[in-house]
Amino acid sequence: MNADGRSRLDQLPEWNALAAHRQELGDAHLRDLFAQDPERAERFTLQVGDLHLDYSKHLVTDETLRLLRELARATKVTELRDAMFRGEKINTTEDRAVLHTALRAPHSAVIRTDGKDVVPEVHAVLTKMGTFVDRVHSGEWTGHTGKRIKNVVNIGIGGSDLGPAMAYEALRAYSHRELRFHFVSNVDGADLHEALRGLDPAETLFIVASKTFTTIETITNATSARRWLLRGLEAGQEAVAKHFVALSTNAEKVAEFGIDTDNMFEFWDWVGGRYSFDSAIGLSLMLAIGQDHFREMLAGFHLVDEHFRCAPPEENAPLLLGLLGIWYGQFFDAQSHAVLPYSHYLSKFPAYLQQLDMESNGKSVDREGRPVSWQTGPVVWGTPGTNGQHAYYQLLHQGTKTIPADLIGFANPVADLPPKLAAHHDLLMANLFAQGQALAFGKTSEEVAAEGVAPELVPHRTFPGNRPTTTILAAELSPSVLGQLIALYEHKVFVQGAIWHIDSFDQWGVELGKVLAKRVEPALTEGAAVPGLDASTAALVATYRSLRGR
Ligand code: F6P
């Protein structure tokens, strides 16, 4: 039993019904499912805002979908969803509300947590960000020596890097091209070194993005950046105010670092790191695309929030995508999920989703701390489509693993592409459609043989098909569409965590490594003894020291 008196997932009749249904479905092939139902493509399509979502190439029937929705009902997904939107503390292990949806709620909304309406402060920070962005764009905000800002360096890691870096890339076509953006995350000094190469400190603004403002990678990079700035300007601490701003929940630590808290853009503990880029963490993005486009993006998020909150289960896209993932993970033993954008601008989207999904649902105990006996979050991976086709798609088509994939594409190339380059677009999208087709329907041995292929080569040239994909299309990759797309995945991850009965909003799994790194570092630098260090790590440390000539 769960704390609320419900049976555990694997004891539910709805779970067992799905297992039995999987047996019945056996090797049913998409070729036959389509042949039996001429309406399938049309029926298994949803429109959510600007997103056109085709899920007809999934290994499901109407009965599968009905049983999956029954599972969602039995596991009270909508009840947890409503509790999240109401601001209840559904992140129980950290005793926190989960209110990223409040970051994109309209001014008129009232969303309370701990008795306080959070919407006014969300909008106050957005206004403060907008004012700052306008001042930088107009040249009213200058560096210490009076020079205009030309370079923006975002220093952050995890959710304080991946979101803004991904969205900057995605919306480059909307960006102020006269500003140059750099995203520094890795504690490897090479990252900062390469980002700062050739930059004039007098024209450089650092945005230190850290929810906690204690993350060692970020503080180390920010400290080195400050040293670079002050040396370059031959100035004292007073120069920091014009070149450093902070995005954080922790005013005390920001002040301790030496950044004026007037130059701090706040957010709150009810915003998880991986759900934070539409908070103040999006400042670098807002600097790139301007506040109007940033607000359009927030409106896109909100549109899908409302869809998730209000659409009936049969038409609820995040619910559907979450359920499909559970279907493959549990009943097809799928271990991973590929995200394949047919858009160069979405090249960082899979990496962004890795944190969103894997940090949220990479858990093996349930909300009551008991081990789960079912699959939880998949390994999420991917790269832009056509590049992947010439690398790992071989395995997708003919390997032994079931890997559900999302194919994401846009009808129009971005507006500022020169006509000759925009003309590539049909070829790009033809590849997306061809891959979905090949993965689903394959090529039978009869078809191969009929082409006159030598019999011994027929098995090698046969494509089994039946590889499930979702196709997501939109007219173009606009700020609003990006917001819609991200909210779709955020809520998909939510649905899965709700069904698996895990806490999708904590990340205790990242702690141990941080603690051990702190303990090991003095052994590397000073040769200090680390009590209880295992033999393998001790030998590696000794080898490292000797290779470094220590
Ligand atoms: O790796 C753990 C983590 O806490 C992430 O969840 C978070 O996005 C990242 O580190 C950065 O944290 P912060 O914004 O506090 O520096």
Side-chain angles (χ1 to χ4, degrees), residues 29 31 397-399 438-444 462-467:
H29 202 285
R31 261 185 249 122
H397 285 289
Q398 290 187 315
L439 287 163
F441 305 112
K443 192 171 181 184
T444 62
T462 297
F463 290 69
N466 242 13
R467 318 273 157 143

Side-chain angles (χ1 to χ4, degrees), residues 123-135 137 174 176 282-299 479:
H123 282 269
V125 173
L126 276 173
T127 305
K128 183 176 170 179
M129 290 164 68
T131 307
F132 176 73
V133 164
D134 287 348
R135 289 182 70 199
H137 287 174
Y174 294 81
H176 286 244
L283 184 67
S284 50
L285 175 67
M286 197 194 266
L287 274 164
I289 64 172
Q291 59 168 323
D292 291 346
H293 285 137
F294 193 86
R295 284 179 191 272
E296 277 173 32
M297 183 188 74
L298 295 184

Side-chain angles (χ1 to χ4, degrees), residues 174 179 217 302 385 392 461 514:
Y174 294 81
L179 282 174
E217 292 88 343
H302 181 64
Y392 51 78
R461 299 187 57 171
K514 289 186 195 174

Side-chain angles (χ1 to χ4, degrees), residues 273-353:
R274 53 196 174 272
Y275 298 87
S276 69
F277 101 81
D278 44 358
S279 70
I281 290 292
L283 184 67
S284 50
L285 175 67
M286 197 194 266
L287 274 164
I289 64 172
Q291 59 168 323
D292 291 346
H293 285 137
F294 193 86
R295 284 179 191 272
E296 277 173 32
M297 183 188 74
L298 295 184
F301 271 100
H302 181 64
L303 186 154
V304 172
D305 292 345
E306 285 302 282
H307 165 84
F308 179 48
R309 199 171 65 82
C310 304
E314 297 75 16
E315 293 159 24
N316 199 306
L319 180 72
L320 173 76
L321 295 184
L323 288 169
L324 287 170
I326 286 174
W327 173 237
Y328 294 117
Q330 189 64 32
F331 301 107
F332 288 76
D333 198 26
Q335 300 292 314
S336 81
H337 183 98
V339 179
L340 309 168
Y342 280 71
S343 162
H344 185 70
Y345 288 106
L346 283 184
S347 57
K348 293 190 173 165
F349 193 55
Y352 171 77
L353 292 183

Side-chain angles (χ1 to χ4, degrees), residues 157-160 210-213 215 273-274 355 359 507 510 514:
I157 197 164
S160 299
S210 176
K211 178 177 172 181
T212 54
F213 230 76
T215 305
R274 53 196 174 272
Q355 187 198 15
E359 205 173 66
Q507 57 285 316
V510 302
K514 289 186 195 174

